[in-house]
Amino acid sequence: MKQRKDKGKCLVEWIRALLALILVGVLSFCGLFACVMYGAYDHIQGEPEVMVILGCQVRQDGPSVLLRDRLDEALDYLEDHPDMTVVVSGGQGPDEPTTEAQAMYDYLTEHGVEPERIWQEDQSHNTWQNVRYTLALLEEKGADTSAGVVLVSSGFHLTRARMLWERASGGAGELSTLAAPCTHVPSRLKMYIREPFALVKSFLFDR
C-alpha cells in the first residue's frame, strides 16, 4: 500500500514539474512574441538618406507576395523621399530564378525608381549576411549614413533585423525601420509563430 502511495506521489510530482516547464515555455514564447510585435511597426528617426530593403523569396513569375509587400512599402516611402539611395539585399537560392537583389531592382525600376539610385547586395542567404554584406557595401561605396539608415522588411522580421544590424554596426548611426504589411494571411500566421524561435537562434548564434 505504501509503495503504491509513493508511486502516486512521484507521478504527481512529475506532472507538476511537466506543467511548470510548459508554463515557463509558454511565458517565454509570449515574451519573445511581444518583442517581435514591438518591432512590427514603423520607427522612423530623423531623415534617413539610405534605405535598405531586405530580400525574400523570388518565384518563377517574380517576387513573392511577401517580397512585393516590402517593395510596395518602400515605393510609398520613396515617393516622398526621392533622393534616397536604395540598397536591395538578397542572393539567389537554389529554387530561385535570379538573385533577390536583381528581382527587387527590376521591380523598383519598373515602378519608376532611377536605376542609378539602387545598389545591389546579391551574395547574402540569410538575415545576418544581409546585414553584414550590406554594411560592407555601404562602406565600400563610401555612402554617407550620418543622417541614418531606414531598414525595410516585413513587420514580423524587424525586431531580429534591428538586433543584428546594431550588433554588426556596433550601434553606430541612427537606424529607422519601415514595417511592410504581410497581406498573405497563411504566411503571416506561419511567420509570427516562427519568428520568436528565429529571434533566439539569431541572438545566440549570429555573430
Side-chain angles (χ1 to χ4, degrees):
M1 188 73 173
K2 184 177 183 299
Q3 188 177 13
R4 193 175 297 174
K5 284 184 180 179
D6 289 343
K7 285 184 178 178
K9 185 178 178 181
C10 185
L11 179 60
V12 169
E13 288 176 353
W14 273 105
I15 291 172
R16 285 177 178 169
L18 179 60
L19 291 174
L21 284 173
I22 292 172
L23 180 60
V24 169
V26 170
L27 292 175
S28 297
F29 180 85
C30 289
L32 290 166
F33 186 79
C35 291
V36 171
M37 290 302 299
Y38 174 77
Y41 299 94
D42 297 347
H43 293 271
I44 305 294
Q45 302 181 75
E47 291 292 333
E49 295 182 359
V50 176
M51 171 183 284
V52 177
I53 310 172
L54 300 182
C56 193
Q57 187 176 24
V58 175
R59 302 187 183 279
Q60 295 300 322
D61 59 348
S64 61
V65 176
L66 284 177
L67 186 51
R68 285 203 308 274
D69 287 339
R70 298 179 188 186
L71 292 165
D72 290 339
E73 190 71 20
L75 286 167
D76 285 344
Y77 191 85
L78 290 170
E79 280 187 16
D80 297 325
H81 302 81
D83 298 323
M84 294 189 81
T85 297
V86 182
V87 179
V88 288
S89 177
Q92 183 175 3
D95 57 347
E96 293 178 311
T98 185
T99 66
E100 293 167 9
Q102 184 64 53
M104 289 189 279
Y105 174 92
D106 293 342
Y107 190 93
L108 293 174
T109 54
E110 286 167 9
H111 287 78
V113 181
E114 298 86 349
E116 61 271 15
R117 291 171 57 196
I118 306 173
W119 299 343
Q120 295 188 48
E121 182 290 294
D122 58 6
Q123 299 299 309
S124 56
H125 295 283
N126 55 50
T127 306
W128 181 228
Q129 291 181 358
N130 284 146
V131 167
R132 288 169 50 224
Y133 297 171
T134 294
L135 284 166
L137 177 64
L138 290 172
E139 184 176 357
E140 177 189 327
K141 295 278 192 179
D144 181 6
T145 59
S146 58
V149 173
V150 58
L151 204 58
V152 183
S153 192
S154 306
F156 62 80
H157 189 213
L158 283 173
T159 294
R160 182 158 59 101
R162 174 183 283 277
M163 176 187 73
L164 294 177
W165 185 279
E166 291 177 346
R167 176 179 290 175
S169 67
E174 292 281 5
L175 179 64
S176 298
T177 53
L178 193 60
C182 187
T183 57
H184 188 249
V185 175
S187 294
R188 182 164 70 235
L189 295 174
K190 174 184 174 184
M191 299 310 289
Y192 272 107
I193 292 171
R194 170 188 177 274
E195 192 61 23
F197 299 103
L199 186 61
V200 173
K201 175 183 172 293
S202 285
F203 178 78
L204 294 174
F205 299 110
D206 288 338
R207 298 180 182 276

